[in-house]
Amino acid sequence: MTARTAARDVAIVAFAQSDHRRDTDELSEVELLMPVLHDVLAQVGLRAGEIGFTCSGSSDYLAGRAFSFTMALDGVGAWPPITESHVEMDGAWALYEAWVKLLTGECDTALVYAYGKSSPGSLRDVLTRQLDPYYLGPLWPDSVSLAALQAQALIDAGATDERELAGIAVRSRTAAGTNPHAQLRGPVPSGDYLVRPLRTGDCPPIGDGAAAVVLAAGDTARRLCARPAWIRGMDHRIEAHSPGVRDLTDSPSARLAAGKAGAFERPVDTAELHAPFTSQEVILRKALRLGEDVCVNPSGGALAANPVMAAGLIRLGEAAARISRGESDRALAHATSGPCLQQNLVAVLEGEERPEGEVRPEGEVRPEGEVRPEGGDRP
């Protein structure tokens, strides 16, 4: 389902996230979540009981216990009773479920949240549980080793080199200098090889964090937010489970999802890509047809903060926030799951056109082709 086939408009009207830290030993998942949930609801002036649908994303493997998401519901509140669902996925897929729920007309508002605490265990070992249990699982290839295979395939194909990868890391973490929630900000040394050809600087930080968004439909969205980020299309696709039967230098699932979401119909000015490794940005830029004029990961992306199970939702939230602040008119948001970009979700977000004569906030990106007045701001 895409928004272009539905009669109802749905928008992201609020976004909040925690400060992302290397470890939060002193906080439970509920204590990590509660300030974020309070913040996002306060932005729209709603109480938990006024939300029509609640959906969350997390992983029992990270928490180390079954049905761990039920404990996180304490952060939402048990009274009055709520309509609730959960996905054992990144919160971006929880947002997809909530979006479909609003499109059907079953509710007018939805709360989506996601969280992950990677610090208590060995994340690289935990993520091997995503692999098939018969062939790859017993070999214990961790997430960094698989990403390194992908990066080497790119280099062998002449699609990138280590210098370009280092440049992506520098650009991302420099952009994160203005992101108060980022775990890594400013120049970060390339460091030693973690798994060739990836150095520590090419890899995401391990840390804990949470995020939440509020969705609303139609006039409810306009009432709750001065400039809603309308979801014009969203789709997700998956590739073969085994990396050995895929072309690791390409991402056909990301390209297909983007096409179905309408990303290629008109240019975007901003892209928030869930690319935990520098080499994956190279692949996504090509698959999503992003030119050099597109501002990629102005928040710093997953290289600046990568709370597993929340990082994809944050990409959607960051893109929506830029639209709400008037810094973007049309943005692409991307989330991924599984090894080597196995599953990909793409959403296209837009701000509404302003009435003629309305002044655009300073620093806002102008639509392509718009002529600025003499002496006006630089594009």
Side-chain angles (χ1 to χ4, degrees):
M1 179 183 291
T2 70
R4 294 172 296 150
T5 63
R8 208 170 195 224
D9 288 333
V10 177
I12 297 175
V13 296
F15 166 59
Q17 61 182 309
S18 65
D19 291 339
H20 305 294
R21 296 159 46 189
R22 177 59 183 86
D23 61 73
T24 54
D25 290 342
E26 75 283 7
L27 299 176
S28 68
E29 284 87 345
V30 174
E31 291 168 325
L32 182 66
L33 269 171
M34 286 189 68
V36 176
L37 296 174
H38 290 170
D39 182 3
V40 79
L41 291 173
Q43 290 179 34
V44 289
L46 295 177
R47 298 187 299 272
E50 297 174 302
I51 296 293
F53 178 63
T54 299
C55 196
S56 61
S58 64
S59 172
D60 284 350
Y61 284 100
L62 287 180
R65 57 180 178 269
F67 300 103
S68 62
F69 73 94
T70 59
M71 300 183 66
L73 287 172
D74 288 341
V76 180
W79 185 262
I82 63 174
T83 302
E84 185 270 343
S85 183
H86 172 263
V87 298
E88 186 74 10
M89 290 281 288
D90 187 288
W93 277 264
L95 186 144
Y96 182 90
E97 180 177 341
W99 174 67
V100 172
K101 192 91 166 179
L102 268 71
L103 289 179
T104 63
E106 292 189 34
C107 57
D108 291 325
T109 56
L111 171 66
V112 179
Y113 65 91
Y115 61 93
K117 291 190 66 170
S118 302
S119 60
S122 172
L123 181 62
R124 292 171 67 176
D125 289 339
V126 169
L127 291 179
T128 62
R129 302 302 87 198
Q130 295 178 317
L131 305 174
D132 83 81
Y134 303 107
Y135 298 101
L136 283 183
L139 300 176
W140 287 84
D142 62 71
S143 56
V144 178
S145 299
L146 289 170
L149 287 174
Q150 187 173 42
Q152 189 61 56
L154 276 173
I155 292 173
D156 292 345
T160 190
D161 54 36
E162 291 189 34
R163 183 175 180 179
E164 180 184 2
L165 299 183
I168 291 172
V170 170
R171 191 207 73 235
S172 297
R173 288 166 181 148
T174 299
T178 58
N179 181 354
H181 303 290
Q183 184 176 335
L184 296 180
R185 293 191 290 271
V188 174
S190 295
D192 297 329
Y193 287 109
L194 195 56
V195 181
R196 286 181 181 270
L198 296 179
R199 298 177 181 270
T200 54
D202 294 308
C203 304
I206 295 174
D208 304 343
V213 304
V214 174
L215 301 177
D219 290 338
T220 301
R222 297 181 180 91
R223 175 174 58 84
L224 295 175
C225 180
R227 194 177 192 228
W230 297 101
I231 302 174
R232 297 308 187 196
M234 181 159 47
D235 194 84
H236 64 96
R237 301 285 163 152
I238 192 168
E239 297 176 34
H241 196 179
S242 173
V245 299
R246 293 158 47 196
D247 177 2
L248 297 183
T249 67
D250 192 17
S251 182
S253 59
R255 182 164 48 251
L256 179 58
K260 294 295 184 180
F264 304 140
E265 294 177 358
R266 290 196 297 113
V268 298
D269 52 51
T270 302
E272 280 283 344
L273 305 181
H274 186 187
F277 300 91
T278 53
S279 51
Q280 292 177 349
E281 181 177 312
V282 176
I283 295 169
L284 290 170
R285 272 183 174 271
K286 179 182 177 183
L288 301 175
R289 305 175 189 172
L290 300 177
E292 294 300 321
D293 57 332
V294 178
C295 181
V296 175
N297 287 342
S299 67
L303 288 169
N306 188 45
V308 175
M309 297 297 153
L313 179 62
I314 291 171
R315 306 281 68 77
L316 284 139
E318 290 282 7
R322 285 182 65 84
I323 288 175
S324 294
R325 293 194 301 264
E327 297 169 359
S328 172
D329 287 314
R330 180 174 163 88
L332 180 149
H334 161 267
T336 190
S337 181
C340 301
L341 301 173
Q342 180 193 8
Q343 186 170 1
N344 294 279
L345 178 148
V346 176
V348 176
L349 309 176
E350 286 185 349
E352 283 185 321
E353 293 295 328
R354 291 189 178 81
E356 187 175 352
E358 184 174 341
V359 178
R360 193 182 307 277
E362 185 174 343
E364 180 178 347
V365 175
R366 296 178 182 276
E368 185 174 339
E370 180 178 295
V371 179
R372 66 180 188 275
E374 278 190 35
D377 57 333
R378 301 194 316 178

